[in-house]
Amino acid sequence: MSAKTFEILGGRAPDAFLRDYWQKKPLLIRNAFPGIEGLLEPDELAGLALEEEIESRIIIERSPIDWELRHGPFTEKTFKNLPQTHWTLLIQALDHYVPQIADLLEHFDFIPNWRIDDIMASFAPFGGSVGPHYDYYDVFLIQAHGQRRWQLGQMCDDTTPLLPDLPIRILRDFQPDQEWVLNPGDMLYLPPGVAHYGVAQNDCMTLSVGFRAPSEQDILMEFVHTLFNDNVQDRRYEDKELKLQANPGWISPEAVDRVADILRRAVSDPQKIAHWMASYLSQTKYEQAPEPPEDDYSEAEVQDLLAGNQSLRKEEASRLLYTGDVLRPEHFFVNGEEKEIPPLTHSMILYLCKHRSYRPATLDMFCRTPENLRFLTGLLNQGILYFEDDLYDEDEHEEEEDEETGPADDL
Ligand code: SIN
Ligand code: CO
């Protein structure tokens, strides 16, 4: 666990946070991200809202019971014609487009990567908000610019009444019982279901580190879908020990048991479930595949770039996950697809899964094994990893290499 994690949790140990707060109760952490201001300017956010492939929305509060929702991409004219106050611009998956925003996620490495959805950013002038509401997901709300007043209220669920006929979900009866004004660098953690209402006090930018939790319905449907690729559909219901029934219209408890058994067998293989989870959960948020480099790298070029200390990153939207033992990956998935793990490549996979940006010297060491060099070159040529323009700066990444899973393991 990085020292950064302790800082953002206000000095709390991550396991204590998980035990006492995660999915349980809100937590305000003052000055969790002291240097956050200036990481992104509000103008840059507005610029992103003009882009076709970026998911953006504007929410305008006409009155507490009259809300308007617009979907991007927007034009400069849209922004010129907005009211002075009481609107919010939302940009989804900012971490996919801005590497320094993606880097914030390294502070949240005490929660499994697959639980992370994205970092959403909001910009609002005075009075702007998305209304009192609740979310189905955990969220860390980082104040990145200006001030926002947050009020928290009751626990909600599907049965909590919402205002009717609105394009967004606004609570009918918000009952605030706590209130804080967040300054730049402050962070508020909210578990799912807590009613919350954040109102901009001035030009205000908030980053929401959002988590995902697949619905049980999705889990069932998606898993059952993969069963169709197995040969189970060729097997039929069997009742060799069928007993004579008093009424042929009856579905006997024995028949129900036989069907329950079929269902149980289908979902009782942890290996199969793990494999499916890795494939399903490593799928990217949007369909767009990573862009490969213009020209393929040769293994010799990769070796030269690593030796020359050229920084590397994971393509921001890509998801790398593995199953098996925590120190011994059995199956490695990237963006929904399994990659065959060559012999001796385990430690490199652990390293790639743990970080988002990589130290060339560490990868250089792994790549003394030809299989690792070939594997890494393959990932680079698929655009899953990419070389940055800059050289790697040791000072920027101080402590993170100290506690690596030893790269020497396999060598
Ligand atoms: C916002 O940033 O305005 C809204 C975030 C949220 O309430 O989930
Ligand atoms: Co919310």
Side-chain angles (χ1 to χ4, degrees):
M1 203 62 47
S2 72
K4 293 172 185 172
T5 305
F6 286 83
E7 277 167 36
I8 70 149
L9 295 175
R12 278 172 194 79
D15 52 354
F17 170 83
L18 294 177
R19 186 192 59 221
D20 299 336
Y21 296 96
W22 177 249
Q23 300 235 300
K24 298 170 197 76
K25 57 183 180 190
L27 176 67
L28 170 70
I29 300 141
R30 293 283 183 199
N31 220 18
F33 285 91
I36 193 106
E37 235 184 340
L39 197 59
L40 191 83
E41 295 302 324
D43 276 357
E44 291 176 66
L45 211 55
L48 292 172
L50 313 182
E51 308 259 347
E52 183 79 40
E53 70 279 7
I54 296 185
E55 188 185 343
S56 58
R57 286 167 291 163
I58 290 177
I59 293 172
I60 305 173
E61 182 181 357
R62 304 278 179 205
S63 84
I65 54 158
D66 182 7
W67 297 77
E68 183 184 330
L69 169 66
R70 298 185 192 169
H71 290 279
F74 300 106
T75 61
E76 291 186 6
K77 206 166 138 212
T78 318
F79 288 101
K80 277 202 195 94
N81 293 338
L82 283 171
Q84 289 284 311
T85 65
H86 292 79
W87 57 267
T88 294
L89 165 70
L90 299 168
I91 303 282
Q92 215 63 53
L94 187 65
D95 54 310
H96 291 191
Y97 314 109
V98 186
Q100 66 266 31
I101 296 290
D103 283 343
L104 294 175
L105 292 172
E106 291 229 359
H107 298 262
F108 295 91
D109 62 357
F110 58 102
I111 298 162
N113 283 347
W114 71 263
R115 289 284 268 117
I116 294 173
D117 185 15
D118 69 346
I119 299 187
M120 181 188 81
S122 69
F123 171 78
F126 172 79
S129 89
V130 300
H133 66 282
Y134 72 95
D135 296 309
Y136 290 102
Y137 311 106
D138 305 81
V139 65
F140 289 88
L141 298 153
I142 307 170
Q143 192 57 27
H145 181 91
Q147 271 85 25
R148 188 184 287 278
R149 187 200 66 199
W150 283 103
Q151 290 180 309
L152 306 190
Q154 72 273 31
M155 283 304 290
C156 306
D157 60 28
D158 285 345
T159 62
T160 310
L162 303 177
L163 285 179
D165 307 323
L166 288 180
I168 58 172
R169 297 165 51 252
I170 305 275
L171 291 172
R172 197 183 66 191
D173 309 302
F174 177 52
Q175 297 149 20
D177 53 24
Q178 290 183 86
E179 176 175 320
W180 301 288
V181 173
L182 266 67
N183 297 309
D186 293 348
M187 178 168 81
L188 179 59
Y189 163 71
L190 297 180
V194 176
H196 56 284
Y197 182 29
V199 182
Q201 305 299 288
N202 40 44
D203 280 1
C204 160
M205 203 157 63
T206 303
L207 300 175
S208 303
V209 180
F211 290 80
R212 59 180 181 155
S215 68
E216 292 190 3
Q217 191 183 17
D218 278 351
I219 291 176
L220 283 170
M221 279 181 3
E222 293 288 337
F223 183 66
V224 166
H225 188 74
T226 64
L227 293 178
F228 285 112
N229 298 329
D230 295 348
N231 53 6
V232 288
Q233 73 267 38
D234 292 336
R235 298 214 321 237
R236 296 284 155 154
Y237 173 88
E238 286 178 1
D239 51 3
K240 291 196 182 74
E241 39 331 296
L242 182 64
K243 300 275 179 314
L244 191 62
Q245 300 187 175
N247 189 324
W250 188 47
I251 296 176
S252 68
E254 288 76 20
V256 173
D257 271 354
R258 281 180 213 117
V259 170
D261 206 45
I262 292 172
L263 292 171
R264 255 191 307 270
R265 264 191 284 120
V267 297
S268 66
D269 180 351
Q271 297 261 15
K272 202 185 271 182
I273 295 172
H275 200 263
W276 164 75
M277 280 178 74
S279 141
Y280 175 57
L281 297 169
S282 66
Q283 287 167 18
T284 49
K285 183 173 172 76
Y286 300 108
E287 266 175 27
Q288 227 168 343
E291 216 165 288
E294 263 175 40
D295 296 310
D296 270 9
Y297 290 103
S298 68
E299 291 174 19
E301 278 169 324
V302 172
Q303 233 166 358
D304 283 350
L305 286 160
L306 293 178
N309 202 32
Q310 201 71 37
S311 269
L312 290 97
R313 288 187 69 86
K314 178 179 79 64
E315 187 272 322
E316 275 63 32
S318 289
R319 292 180 185 273
L320 277 56
L321 296 175
Y322 69 95
T323 63
D325 187 273
V326 67
L327 293 177
R328 190 117 197 126
E330 201 172 308
H331 297 284
F332 175 51
F333 278 78
V334 179
N335 301 341
E337 274 178 31
E338 181 161 15
K339 305 270 172 213
E340 199 182 322
I341 305 177
L344 306 181
T345 308
H346 298 91
S347 293
M348 187 168 78
I349 287 175
L350 296 179
Y351 179 66
L352 295 175
C353 287
K354 192 168 178 184
H355 297 288
R356 282 157 210 278
S357 59
Y358 307 106
R359 184 167 172 256
T362 304
L363 287 173
D364 193 27
M365 191 144 56
F366 284 124
C367 286
R368 284 179 208 161
T369 312
E371 284 90 347
N372 282 351
L373 178 60
R374 200 167 316 129
F375 194 74
L376 190 77
T377 307
L379 294 178
L380 283 157
N381 287 336
Q382 289 165 69
I384 292 159
L385 305 179
Y386 68 93
F387 279 109
E388 291 183 277
D389 295 335
D390 300 334
L391 295 185
Y392 186 83
D393 181 351
E394 296 282 344
D395 295 340
E396 258 180 48
H397 300 81
E398 313 127 25
E399 88 280 331
E400 75 199 30
E401 297 297 324
D402 304 342
E403 22 87 32
E404 283 320 326
T405 8
D409 286 1
D410 288 344
L411 300 177

